[in-house]
Amino acid sequence: MFIAQQTTQGSNPLVALLPLILLGFVFYFLMIRPQQRRSRQQQALIRSIEVGDEVVTGGGIFGVVVDVDDDEDVVTLEIADGVQIHILRAGIGRKIESYDDDEEDEEDAPGGRGGAGLDAGQGSVVVDDQPDQTKEL
């Protein structure tokens, strides 16, 4: 009985901590490091905002940057003709890249967003753009 007690006391305490240390490394590389990378990318985006950029706020409001006040970190967005709002620079969620030339080409091409891409005799679907005039009671 005395011999069995000596063998259990002789084990290295580092072996017991090894799974916890390994779990800490896995947690760091799978969770913390990618979050830090996303945070750095968001900060770079916020610093790169200039007048004329199209952006989306964190709340989902689309607008064009009209003015940037670097002293107070406030950005003025025009969200409609003549309607401007002031938001904190940190409230910008993302920048919208302009691709106006590509949109025009896709609308004219068959199968693009501008049309169904089918001739009238090939089973095309006609969509009525008029709102439904019926009322539910």
Side-chain angles (χ1 to χ4, degrees):
M1 183 144 176
F2 184 73
I3 296 172
Q5 289 177 352
Q6 286 181 350
T7 57
T8 57
Q9 291 177 356
S11 65
N12 191 355
L14 185 61
V15 174
L17 291 177
L18 188 62
L20 290 175
I21 293 171
L22 186 62
L23 185 64
F25 279 118
V26 169
F27 185 74
Y28 174 76
F29 282 107
L30 292 180
M31 301 284 287
I32 296 172
R33 200 162 166 235
Q35 180 62 32
Q36 288 175 342
R37 187 175 327 154
R38 279 189 295 262
S39 177
R40 282 192 303 265
Q41 288 174 346
Q42 182 67 18
Q43 291 298 322
L45 167 81
I46 288 172
R47 284 190 303 269
S48 72
I49 295 298
E50 298 174 349
V51 174
D53 288 342
E54 293 183 44
V55 296
V56 178
T57 67
I61 299 173
F62 289 78
V64 177
V65 177
V66 177
D67 185 34
V68 178
D69 185 3
D70 291 327
D71 296 334
E72 296 182 20
D73 281 341
V74 175
V75 176
T76 304
L77 295 180
E78 184 171 10
I79 57 175
D81 291 334
V83 180
Q84 295 182 352
I85 59 172
H86 303 286
I87 65 166
L88 290 175
R89 191 181 274 244
I92 295 175
R94 64 185 170 118
K95 187 189 304 188
I96 299 173
E97 298 299 326
S98 147
Y99 51 90
D100 293 336
D101 296 336
D102 295 339
E103 283 182 2
E104 292 172 5
D105 294 339
E106 287 181 14
E107 288 176 2
D108 295 336
R113 287 181 282 175
L118 298 173
D119 291 335
Q122 295 180 349
S124 64
V125 178
V126 177
V127 178
D128 184 19
D129 291 337
Q130 298 297 322
D132 190 12
Q133 299 296 327
T134 60
K135 293 183 181 178
E136 293 184 28
L137 298 176

